[in-house]
Amino acid sequence: MPRPAARRPDQLRPLSFKRKYTGSAPGSVLVKAGRTTVLCTCCVDSKVPDFLVGKGKGWLTAEYGMLPGSTNTRKARDKGGKVDGRSVEIQRLIGRSLRAIVNLDALGERTLWIDCDVIEADGGTRTASITGAFVALVDALQSVKKDLPAGIAGVLKDSVAAVSVGIVDGEPRLDLEYVEDRDADVDMNLVMTGSGKFIEVQGTGEEATYTRAELDSLLALGTAGIEQITKAQRATLGKAWPLA
Amino acid sequence: MPRPAARRPDQLRPLSFKRKYTGSAPGSVLVKAGRTTVLCTCCVDSKVPDFLVGKGKGWLTAEYGMLPGSTNTRKARDKGGKVDGRSVEIQRLIGRSLRAIVNLDALGERTLWIDCDVIEADGGTRTASITGAFVALVDALQSVKKDLPAGIAGVLKDSVAAVSVGIVDGEPRLDLEYVEDRDADVDMNLVMTGSGKFIEVQGTGEEATYTRAELDSLLALGTAGIEQITKAQRATLGKAWPLA
Amino acid sequence: MPRPAARRPDQLRPLSFKRKYTGSAPGSVLVKAGRTTVLCTCCVDSKVPDFLVGKGKGWLTAEYGMLPGSTNTRKARDKGGKVDGRSVEIQRLIGRSLRAIVNLDALGERTLWIDCDVIEADGGTRTASITGAFVALVDALQSVKKDLPAGIAGVLKDSVAAVSVGIVDGEPRLDLEYVEDRDADVDMNLVMTGSGKFIEVQGTGEEATYTRAELDSLLALGTAGIEQITKAQRATLGKAWPLA
Amino acid sequence: MPRPAARRPDQLRPLSFKRKYTGSAPGSVLVKAGRTTVLCTCCVDSKVPDFLVGKGKGWLTAEYGMLPGSTNTRKARDKGGKVDGRSVEIQRLIGRSLRAIVNLDALGERTLWIDCDVIEADGGTRTASITGAFVALVDALQSVKKDLPAGIAGVLKDSVAAVSVGIVDGEPRLDLEYVEDRDADVDMNLVMTGSGKFIEVQGTGEEATYTRAELDSLLALGTAGIEQITKAQRATLGKAWPLA
Amino acid sequence: MPRPAARRPDQLRPLSFKRKYTGSAPGSVLVKAGRTTVLCTCCVDSKVPDFLVGKGKGWLTAEYGMLPGSTNTRKARDKGGKVDGRSVEIQRLIGRSLRAIVNLDALGERTLWIDCDVIEADGGTRTASITGAFVALVDALQSVKKDLPAGIAGVLKDSVAAVSVGIVDGEPRLDLEYVEDRDADVDMNLVMTGSGKFIEVQGTGEEATYTRAELDSLLALGTAGIEQITKAQRATLGKAWPLA
Amino acid sequence: MPRPAARRPDQLRPLSFKRKYTGSAPGSVLVKAGRTTVLCTCCVDSKVPDFLVGKGKGWLTAEYGMLPGSTNTRKARDKGGKVDGRSVEIQRLIGRSLRAIVNLDALGERTLWIDCDVIEADGGTRTASITGAFVALVDALQSVKKDLPAGIAGVLKDSVAAVSVGIVDGEPRLDLEYVEDRDADVDMNLVMTGSGKFIEVQGTGEEATYTRAELDSLLALGTAGIEQITKAQRATLGKAWPLA
């Protein structure tokens, strides 16, 4: 089975960012990877959770949701105490990934709220969320720049981007779309910094297993993809890029 | 206090629709009224609720939500059984308004799911939701047209649109934006058909009261606004307009 | 279809109030409109919600419920996070209606808790709730009269009463009972002050629409009904009536 | 400390029943024991819970609640998944007590829903609930009498009544009111049949303990109280009394 | 029907305690009565509930749960706001029983958290919980002994133990196991102090009733059982026994 | 900082299994890795979830919980709709890991319920859960062996075991205990088959990042650890080992 739209196995889907997508949140980015579309907003709250009060340190937390119309079959909203375990898992991943590149001590007593809401889902919504959330985070930090003693560069230790890789029909492929993800034997999400270090590696056999050689080929494919995504983030941020 | 952006009291904000905003739901419309932005999707489900099974009749239901980044202060998501009473009230209004112009008997055993998710909130999100949901509904019906014995025209008895009016600084005004809504003494939402009949009149004194004369002036202002909105719906739908 | 019990279209059901129905709450009124029976209590709490602490201002909030045995088919209690949207909508209406005639600044840092619990439901439970809650509110204010700097007259700007009107079989009717409400094409709830001003107009087409002429006839019918209800409130309160 | 209102230690509070208190539920009894007031309704549902479907046997279940205005300090409603452990415990007791005198096999595939809602609470609400629920149960059975093969007498094996006893200031007392209950060292609820058998004995030391002699004196006091309550039930039911 | 394992009617099942079963909680006891196995832990928290703050007094609270694999048919976990009424009732009983022998004034501002989690259920889990919780409580108090002004002896007024008794096949029996409990006509739980006083008597006819003579025989049987259980508690605690 | 108890960096903690720990569930294993203690039970249900009914295929699902006394600071139970995101994430991991080695088609229409309840937590509870759950799964399959057309060997494609590795003080270490886990810069959980294939790799920088070389060293360390754990599983299962 060749890839949809004649993509090469190591080719990303078209990736785009619309910054300042709305006027209400200080960071607000619409990220698209192929048809997958996520609205990433970042709000700054001048309070911190109870366990951090008085420690002079900030916090970053993330939430993830899918709009009901984002999938081909309508996705019911969480209601009345029901929990969507997949969403819980994803939002914890997004939060950890961004905290890994943020110097919370340099943030002051503030909470950064990342919200990633999926407008259209075609595979790779969690990785697009992380990639877009970094851009929204930078824009949100611009809005409080004057209150950061060490500036934005003091808060951000590195950039962060994410991508999925997987083995479909025995072939390692980069940036799976939904029909590939559904059929993949192995599915891996990579979260890496702009300087090429790992933050998170999550490789899962879907009722299947994989060898060390397969693991290595996926890591190589993903690492190359992250490099391209980092370039795209840098391009959209232009002068706002804090890591020059 | 003059209106923001030098609007006349009887002037609507710029109104626009982007149809087929996403590819996942059969009806998917991004409606904008000034800065207020709502994504209205309409999905078609081949099941009906239990109380209608076997009656050969359809159903239409609506849900409404605000994305966390849609307001200047981040709006927390509903979680763990907590209920947002305002959202409940609004989604019931949206559902009733659309059911008033739908012939459920001509729909067959199907459920139309309307979802209105606020991307940016600047006043009038419930009325923009209704106005946009009608356009999404028409597009969704196109996707099942061949299965409707009486066609789309048999399902839709009329079009529906909504607008807010209110008394601010003693002046009746059309289509309030947030800063006006916040200061209004009286706030009224009108839902009307394209043929000029009322579906819903909800006029509320906000810790205030109003006279019959004030009520009449608001009804006149709103009726004129609805006419313009109906024209805009007709323009965006073009040949898909089912009521010619 | 003539009205049940040979009522005239503009005739209220027999309306009665039992004040001090229980000894536990300072305001406690059993209101009956025909068979519809609601227990309205008003408690005074010496705290205010967080958003008002330290502002020297009071608050009023309302809750509404139906006892399981109040309807012909037993009504299940809310449990485990399930939400009854209709109850949410009604309790918000009751709260707004009473706040419209209360001067919260003259109340001091107190919360007035209105509870309306339906003992028997035969149509018009939300309007009976508002009508009865005003009487309970007056009695509750008596219990803290000595602590109100401007007295009860300083707290109450006006009285409030409510009634339903509707179009049944093409005929505008006042104070619908359940079998009429069920068959009505248009259903309107009016909340007005004793001095004849509007607080809330909620007119809904039930899978139907209505003309401006029909709207006007309903407003006239309701306004006349409110006048009679206000007289009944005044009669039951006697010397406790605070608005002479 | 003498008893309030100069009651003798072995004297019940004035006990009254209003049958057919509302018209909506087939059994509907307002029971009063002194100031304690409970509305007991009994509805008949033609379905049984899943575990009984197809077994030709009926079920009886009970729910208990307190209206917010029933206590001197307003009692918050259960919401959003919060649980009132005391209510859960009481409604399980009411259900067990009534099932003990009902022949579920003779009921057919029906569910009897008992609802006990406290209008005013002055001690002994759970025992008044059981006592009143029996009367409501008899009235509800009258409404389906013609469908019971063995008649009401076949369904009811006995009558049931309940009373509280306790040790206050070292003195065993019958039918405690709130101020006594609050100060009691030992609190016991007795549920017994009209023929003098025990259904439930629940004796609790409140941060205290009690001897066998004290237990015996409480059992004697309660047994005598139940006899009087049974007579009152019989008197209110008159010809409806099914156990002659 | 003779008893399983040829037990005499007045014979306890083999009873054992493993103290310090885990290293994480200061009190941690695995109690076994026949196959019934409960892990009782007691933690000490240096805070008290809001209603006790600043009163110089402590609190004790208990929770009870069953592991999913503890019963022959897997027991679903509580989730999303669903409530297990039986668990609520049992944990309230455990808390009351232990508070009856604890001098909360001598505890200081501390909360003792008792957790009873059923590893295997074969009847009598609530009584085993109470019996084991006392042992865990003593061990937990050892861990804060130096901070108790009046020592452990000042905190504990007495010991506490519990046992079930019931009438099966017309025969009063001590310490029912599951198959007996299931078939019992009367089921009674006794909670008593080491000095032979009652804390709680809960006797329930299971769709049945019982006479005063039967009640007396059950009380005698249970009282003798508690004496043996108290001896076993004393034996396992050895020098830690605080009541010599 | 040397390792606690003078462990070598590549040394596992003492690992033990108690099979048939309780009599109620067909698979019931107490697994210990150092002080970390988890009770893993496996129940067999003769039903499958709705999405699998009629497909002749089985299902396996897992739940994970921590007893309140399992940690040094008491862990509150989930209640009233609150969700513990970490537990959700872990139980999803356990379920996926076991499904990877189970041939669901050979299971017939049955659900295997895995429950992992932590008795004492000292790091590595999720990996101990997976390791122990495999043993419980084998025992549970023995109980339905005669109903499995292809036998246990047809259901199990391989064995599964898990271990944690991490970088502490710059040193890669195997099988972290709590104090190491708390201080680790990188934390990785490996789930592998007995034949040395990967099922899941989850490597997380804890507010930190890691290089490819560090990733490789952790994979090597973990792979060696899994081999030893597989041997221990084989030893405890003896003849029940299904994969010879």
Side-chain angles (χ1 to χ4, degrees):
Chain A
M1 186 183 83
R3 300 197 81 175
R7 261 209 286 162
R8 295 186 316 274
D10 63 349
Q11 190 180 356
L12 290 174
R13 289 180 284 181
L15 178 67
S16 68
F17 304 90
K18 283 194 201 168
R19 288 166 66 201
K20 301 180 200 282
Y21 185 69
T22 63
S24 37
S28 173
V29 173
L30 192 80
V31 59
K32 287 200 174 211
R35 278 181 49 213
T36 289
T37 310
V38 184
L39 176 56
C40 304
T41 57
C42 180
C43 301
V44 187
D45 188 355
S46 55
K47 284 178 296 192
V48 286
D50 286 354
F51 69 92
L52 285 179
V53 168
K55 303 203 171 159
K57 191 178 162 179
W59 187 241
L60 181 151
T61 189
E63 292 189 355
Y64 167 95
M66 296 180 78
L67 293 190
S70 64
T71 49
N72 285 334
T73 304
R74 182 181 181 273
K75 185 177 179 306
R77 293 171 202 264
D78 284 358
K79 264 193 274 191
K82 275 195 299 175
V83 182
D84 182 331
R86 179 183 164 273
S87 291
V88 169
E89 197 172 296
I90 292 175
Q91 66 196 18
R92 285 166 55 87
L93 171 65
I94 299 172
R96 280 197 312 270
S97 297
L98 286 151
R99 283 194 297 274
I101 54 103
V102 168
N103 182 350
L104 295 171
D105 291 313
L107 190 58
E109 292 216 352
R110 287 185 178 80
T111 297
L112 298 168
W113 281 91
I114 303 284
D115 286 284
C116 298
D117 285 276
V118 178
I119 305 284
E120 184 162 357
D122 188 30
T125 61
R126 80 186 70 190
T127 51
S129 293
I130 292 168
T131 295
F134 174 71
V135 180
L137 171 63
V138 173
D139 279 339
L141 287 175
Q142 300 284 357
S143 75
V144 291
K145 187 165 50 176
K146 63 176 194 307
D147 300 323
L148 300 172
I152 294 181
V155 172
L156 293 177
K157 299 185 279 188
D158 207 330
S159 67
V160 58
V163 78
S164 76
V165 285
I167 298 179
V168 186
D169 282 340
E171 179 184 70
R173 293 183 181 175
L174 178 66
D175 192 17
L176 306 186
E177 56 199 79
Y178 173 70
V179 293
E180 296 177 309
D181 192 47
R182 189 192 56 198
D183 295 337
D185 290 313
V186 184
D187 178 21
M188 177 176 283
N189 292 294
L190 281 186
V191 186
M192 297 181 70
T193 64
S195 62
K197 295 213 177 141
F198 292 94
I199 292 172
E200 189 104 12
V201 174
Q202 291 196 341
T204 301
E206 302 286 345
E207 304 187 10
T209 60
Y210 52 102
T211 63
R212 179 61 200 264
E214 288 170 326
L215 173 56
D216 287 343
S217 70
L218 290 173
L219 290 169
L221 202 55
T223 301
I226 295 277
E227 278 177 29
Q228 297 175 60
I229 295 169
T230 300
K231 276 184 198 153
Q233 288 172 319
R234 183 187 295 253
T236 196
L237 280 168
K239 289 187 200 160
W241 181 259
L243 308 160
Chain B
M1 186 183 83
R3 301 197 81 174
R7 258 208 288 163
R8 296 187 316 273
D10 63 348
Q11 190 181 355
L12 290 174
R13 289 179 284 180
L15 178 68
S16 69
F17 304 90
K18 283 193 199 167
R19 289 167 65 201
K20 302 180 199 279
Y21 185 69
T22 63
S24 38
S28 173
V29 173
L30 192 81
V31 59
K32 286 199 175 214
R35 278 181 49 212
T36 289
T37 309
V38 184
L39 176 56
C40 304
T41 56
C42 181
C43 302
V44 187
D45 187 355
S46 55
K47 284 178 294 191
V48 286
D50 286 354
F51 69 91
L52 284 179
V53 168
K55 302 203 171 161
K57 193 178 161 178
W59 187 240
L60 181 151
T61 190
E63 292 189 356
Y64 167 95
M66 296 180 78
L67 293 190
S70 63
T71 50
N72 286 335
T73 305
R74 182 180 180 275
K75 186 177 180 306
R77 293 170 203 263
D78 284 358
K79 264 194 273 191
K82 275 196 298 177
V83 182
D84 181 331
R86 179 182 164 275
S87 291
V88 170
E89 196 172 297
I90 292 175
Q91 66 197 17
R92 285 166 54 88
L93 171 65
I94 299 170
R96 281 198 310 271
S97 297
L98 286 151
R99 283 195 296 274
I101 53 102
V102 168
N103 183 349
L104 296 171
D105 291 313
L107 190 59
E109 292 216 352
R110 289 186 176 78
T111 295
L112 298 168
W113 281 90
I114 303 284
D115 286 283
C116 298
D117 285 276
V118 178
I119 305 285
E120 183 163 0
D122 188 30
T125 61
R126 80 187 71 188
T127 51
S129 293
I130 293 168
T131 295
F134 174 72
V135 180
L137 170 64
V138 173
D139 280 338
L141 288 175
Q142 300 284 357
S143 76
V144 292
K145 187 163 51 174
K146 64 176 193 307
D147 300 323
L148 301 171
I152 294 180
V155 171
L156 293 177
K157 298 185 279 188
D158 207 331
S159 67
V160 58
V163 78
S164 78
V165 285
I167 298 180
V168 186
D169 281 339
E171 180 184 70
R173 293 183 181 174
L174 179 67
D175 192 17
L176 306 185
E177 56 199 78
Y178 173 69
V179 293
E180 297 177 309
D181 192 47
R182 188 193 57 198
D183 295 338
D185 291 313
V186 184
D187 179 21
M188 177 176 284
N189 292 295
L190 280 185
V191 186
M192 297 180 69
T193 64
S195 62
K197 296 213 178 140
F198 293 94
I199 291 173
E200 190 105 11
V201 174
Q202 290 196 341
T204 301
E206 302 285 346
E207 304 189 10
T209 61
Y210 52 102
T211 64
R212 178 62 200 265
E214 288 171 325
L215 172 57
D216 287 343
S217 71
L218 290 172
L219 290 169
L221 201 55
T223 302
I226 295 278
E227 278 176 30
Q228 297 175 60
I229 295 170
T230 301
K231 275 185 199 154
Q233 288 172 318
R234 182 188 294 254
T236 197
L237 280 168
K239 287 189 202 159
W241 181 259
L243 308 160
Chain C
M1 186 182 84
R3 300 197 80 175
R7 259 209 287 162
R8 294 189 315 274
D10 63 348
Q11 189 180 356
L12 290 174
R13 290 179 284 181
L15 178 68
S16 69
F17 304 90
K18 282 194 201 167
R19 289 166 65 201
K20 301 179 199 282
Y21 185 69
T22 64
S24 37
S28 173
V29 173
L30 192 81
V31 60
K32 287 199 174 211
R35 279 180 48 212
T36 289
T37 310
V38 184
L39 176 56
C40 305
T41 57
C42 180
C43 302
V44 187
D45 188 355
S46 56
K47 285 178 295 193
V48 286
D50 286 354
F51 69 92
L52 285 178
V53 168
K55 303 205 170 158
K57 193 179 162 179
W59 186 241
L60 181 151
T61 190
E63 292 189 356
Y64 168 95
M66 296 180 79
L67 293 190
S70 64
T71 50
N72 286 334
T73 304
R74 181 179 181 276
K75 187 179 179 304
R77 293 170 202 262
D78 284 359
K79 264 192 276 191
K82 275 195 300 176
V83 182
D84 181 333
R86 180 183 163 273
S87 291
V88 170
E89 196 172 299
I90 291 175
Q91 66 196 16
R92 285 166 55 89
L93 171 66
I94 298 171
R96 281 198 310 272
S97 297
L98 286 151
R99 283 195 297 273
I101 54 101
V102 168
N103 182 348
L104 295 171
D105 291 314
L107 190 57
E109 292 216 351
R110 289 186 176 78
T111 296
L112 298 169
W113 281 91
I114 303 284
D115 287 284
C116 298
D117 285 276
V118 178
I119 305 285
E120 183 163 358
D122 188 31
T125 61
R126 79 186 71 188
T127 51
S129 293
I130 293 167
T131 295
F134 174 72
V135 179
L137 170 63
V138 173
D139 279 339
L141 288 175
Q142 301 284 357
S143 75
V144 292
K145 187 164 50 175
K146 63 176 195 307
D147 300 323
L148 300 171
I152 295 180
V155 171
L156 292 178
K157 298 186 280 188
D158 207 331
S159 67
V160 59
V163 78
S164 77
V165 285
I167 298 180
V168 186
D169 282 339
E171 181 184 69
R173 293 183 183 176
L174 178 66
D175 191 18
L176 306 186
E177 55 199 79
Y178 173 69
V179 293
E180 296 178 308
D181 192 48
R182 189 192 56 198
D183 296 337
D185 291 313
V186 185
D187 178 21
M188 177 175 284
N189 292 295
L190 280 185
V191 186
M192 297 181 70
T193 65
S195 62
K197 295 213 176 141
F198 293 94
I199 292 173
E200 190 104 11
V201 174
Q202 291 197 341
T204 301
E206 304 284 346
E207 303 188 10
T209 60
Y210 53 102
T211 64
R212 178 62 200 264
E214 288 170 325
L215 172 56
D216 286 343
S217 71
L218 290 172
L219 290 169
L221 200 56
T223 301
I226 295 277
E227 278 176 30
Q228 296 175 61
I229 295 169
T230 301
K231 277 184 197 154
Q233 288 173 318
R234 184 187 294 253
T236 198
L237 281 168
K239 288 188 199 158
W241 181 258
L243 308 160
Chain D
M1 187 183 83
R3 300 198 79 175
R7 258 207 289 162
R8 295 186 316 272
D10 64 348
Q11 190 180 355
L12 290 174
R13 289 179 284 182
L15 178 67
S16 70
F17 304 89
K18 283 194 199 165
R19 287 166 65 201
K20 302 181 198 281
Y21 186 68
T22 63
S24 38
S28 173
V29 173
L30 192 80
V31 60
K32 287 198 175 214
R35 279 181 48 213
T36 289
T37 310
V38 184
L39 177 57
C40 305
T41 57
C42 181
C43 302
V44 187
D45 189 353
S46 55
K47 283 178 295 191
V48 285
D50 286 353
F51 70 91
L52 284 178
V53 168
K55 303 203 171 161
K57 192 179 163 180
W59 187 240
L60 182 151
T61 189
E63 293 189 356
Y64 167 95
M66 296 180 79
L67 292 190
S70 64
T71 50
N72 285 334
T73 304
R74 181 179 181 275
K75 187 179 180 304
R77 292 170 203 264
D78 285 358
K79 263 193 273 191
K82 275 195 300 177
V83 182
D84 181 332
R86 179 183 164 274
S87 290
V88 169
E89 195 172 299
I90 292 175
Q91 65 197 17
R92 286 166 54 88
L93 171 65
I94 299 171
R96 282 198 309 270
S97 297
L98 286 151
R99 282 195 296 274
I101 55 102
V102 168
N103 182 349
L104 296 171
D105 291 313
L107 190 58
E109 292 217 350
R110 288 184 178 80
T111 296
L112 298 169
W113 281 92
I114 303 284
D115 286 284
C116 297
D117 285 275
V118 178
I119 306 284
E120 183 162 359
D122 187 30
T125 61
R126 79 186 72 186
T127 52
S129 293
I130 293 168
T131 295
F134 174 72
V135 180
L137 170 64
V138 173
D139 279 339
L141 288 175
Q142 300 285 356
S143 75
V144 292
K145 187 164 51 175
K146 63 175 195 307
D147 301 323
L148 301 171
I152 294 180
V155 172
L156 293 177
K157 299 185 279 188
D158 207 330
S159 66
V160 58
V163 78
S164 77
V165 286
I167 298 179
V168 186
D169 281 340
E171 180 184 71
R173 292 183 182 175
L174 177 66
D175 192 17
L176 306 185
E177 55 200 79
Y178 173 70
V179 293
E180 296 178 307
D181 192 47
R182 188 192 57 198
D183 296 338
D185 291 312
V186 184
D187 179 21
M188 177 176 284
N189 292 294
L190 282 186
V191 186
M192 296 180 70
T193 65
S195 62
K197 295 212 177 141
F198 292 94
I199 292 173
E200 190 104 12
V201 174
Q202 292 197 340
T204 302
E206 303 284 345
E207 304 189 10
T209 60
Y210 53 103
T211 63
R212 178 61 200 265
E214 288 169 326
L215 172 57
D216 287 343
S217 71
L218 291 172
L219 290 169
L221 201 56
T223 302
I226 295 277
E227 277 176 31
Q228 297 175 59
I229 296 169
T230 300
K231 276 184 197 154
Q233 288 172 319
R234 183 188 294 254
T236 197
L237 280 168
K239 288 188 201 159
W241 181 259
L243 308 161
Chain E
M1 186 183 83
R3 301 197 79 175
R7 258 207 289 162
R8 294 188 316 273
D10 64 348
Q11 189 180 357
L12 290 174
R13 290 180 282 182
L15 178 67
S16 68
F17 304 90
K18 283 194 199 166
R19 288 167 66 201
K20 302 180 198 282
Y21 185 69
T22 63
S24 39
S28 174
V29 173
L30 192 80
V31 60
K32 287 200 174 212
R35 278 181 47 213
T36 289
T37 310
V38 184
L39 176 56
C40 304
T41 57
C42 180
C43 302
V44 187
D45 188 356
S46 56
K47 284 179 294 192
V48 286
D50 286 354
F51 70 91
L52 283 179
V53 168
K55 303 203 171 160
K57 192 179 162 179
W59 187 240
L60 181 151
T61 190
E63 291 189 355
Y64 168 95
M66 296 179 79
L67 293 190
S70 64
T71 50
N72 285 335
T73 305
R74 181 179 181 275
K75 188 178 179 304
R77 292 170 203 264
D78 283 358
K79 263 193 276 190
K82 275 194 300 175
V83 182
D84 181 333
R86 179 182 164 275
S87 291
V88 169
E89 197 172 297
I90 291 175
Q91 66 196 17
R92 285 165 55 87
L93 171 65
I94 299 171
R96 281 199 310 271
S97 297
L98 286 152
R99 283 194 296 275
I101 54 102
V102 167
N103 182 351
L104 296 170
D105 291 313
L107 190 58
E109 292 216 351
R110 287 184 178 80
T111 296
L112 298 169
W113 282 91
I114 303 283
D115 287 284
C116 298
D117 286 275
V118 178
I119 305 284
E120 183 163 359
D122 187 30
T125 61
R126 79 187 70 189
T127 51
S129 293
I130 293 168
T131 295
F134 174 72
V135 180
L137 170 63
V138 173
D139 279 338
L141 288 175
Q142 301 284 359
S143 75
V144 292
K145 187 163 50 174
K146 64 175 194 309
D147 301 323
L148 300 172
I152 295 180
V155 172
L156 293 177
K157 298 185 280 188
D158 207 329
S159 66
V160 58
V163 79
S164 77
V165 285
I167 299 181
V168 186
D169 282 340
E171 179 184 71
R173 293 182 182 174
L174 178 65
D175 191 17
L176 306 187
E177 56 199 78
Y178 173 69
V179 293
E180 295 177 309
D181 192 47
R182 189 192 56 198
D183 295 338
D185 291 312
V186 184
D187 178 21
M188 178 175 283
N189 292 295
L190 281 185
V191 186
M192 297 181 70
T193 65
S195 62
K197 294 214 177 141
F198 293 94
I199 292 173
E200 191 105 11
V201 174
Q202 292 196 341
T204 302
E206 303 285 346
E207 303 189 10
T209 60
Y210 54 102
T211 64
R212 178 62 199 265
E214 288 170 325
L215 172 56
D216 286 343
S217 70
L218 291 172
L219 290 169
L221 201 55
T223 302
I226 295 277
E227 278 176 31
Q228 296 175 60
I229 296 170
T230 300
K231 277 183 198 153
Q233 289 173 317
R234 184 188 293 253
T236 197
L237 281 168
K239 289 188 200 159
W241 181 259
L243 307 161
Chain F
M1 187 184 81
R3 300 198 80 176
R7 258 209 287 162
R8 294 186 316 273
D10 64 348
Q11 189 180 357
L12 290 174
R13 289 179 284 181
L15 177 67
S16 69
F17 304 90
K18 283 194 199 166
R19 288 166 66 200
K20 302 181 199 280
Y21 185 69
T22 63
S24 37
S28 173
V29 172
L30 193 80
V31 60
K32 286 197 174 216
R35 277 181 50 213
T36 290
T37 310
V38 184
L39 176 56
C40 304
T41 57
C42 179
C43 301
V44 187
D45 188 355
S46 55
K47 284 180 293 192
V48 285
D50 285 353
F51 70 92
L52 284 179
V53 168
K55 304 203 170 160
K57 192 178 163 180
W59 187 239
L60 180 151
T61 190
E63 293 188 356
Y64 168 95
M66 296 180 78
L67 292 190
S70 64
T71 49
N72 285 334
T73 304
R74 182 181 180 274
K75 186 177 180 304
R77 292 170 203 263
D78 284 358
K79 263 193 273 190
K82 276 195 299 178
V83 182
D84 180 332
R86 179 181 164 275
S87 291
V88 169
E89 196 171 297
I90 292 176
Q91 65 196 16
R92 286 166 55 88
L93 171 65
I94 299 171
R96 281 198 310 271
S97 298
L98 286 151
R99 282 195 296 275
I101 54 102
V102 168
N103 182 351
L104 295 171
D105 291 314
L107 190 58
E109 292 216 351
R110 289 187 174 78
T111 296
L112 298 168
W113 281 92
I114 303 284
D115 286 283
C116 299
D117 285 275
V118 178
I119 305 284
E120 184 163 359
D122 187 31
T125 62
R126 79 187 71 189
T127 51
S129 293
I130 292 167
T131 295
F134 174 71
V135 180
L137 170 64
V138 172
D139 280 338
L141 288 175
Q142 301 284 358
S143 76
V144 291
K145 187 165 49 175
K146 63 176 194 307
D147 300 323
L148 300 172
I152 294 181
V155 171
L156 293 177
K157 298 185 279 188
D158 207 330
S159 67
V160 58
V163 79
S164 77
V165 285
I167 299 180
V168 187
D169 282 339
E171 179 183 72
R173 293 183 182 174
L174 177 66
D175 192 18
L176 306 186
E177 55 199 79
Y178 173 71
V179 293
E180 296 178 309
D181 192 47
R182 189 192 57 199
D183 295 338
D185 291 312
V186 184
D187 178 20
M188 177 175 285
N189 292 295
L190 281 186
V191 186
M192 297 181 70
T193 64
S195 61
K197 296 214 175 140
F198 292 94
I199 292 173
E200 190 104 12
V201 174
Q202 292 196 340
T204 300
E206 302 285 345
E207 303 188 11
T209 59
Y210 52 102
T211 62
R212 177 61 199 264
E214 288 170 325
L215 173 56
D216 286 343
S217 71
L218 291 172
L219 289 169
L221 202 56
T223 301
I226 294 277
E227 278 175 29
Q228 297 175 59
I229 296 170
T230 300
K231 277 183 198 156
Q233 289 173 317
R234 183 188 293 254
T236 196
L237 280 168
K239 289 188 201 160
W241 181 259
L243 308 160

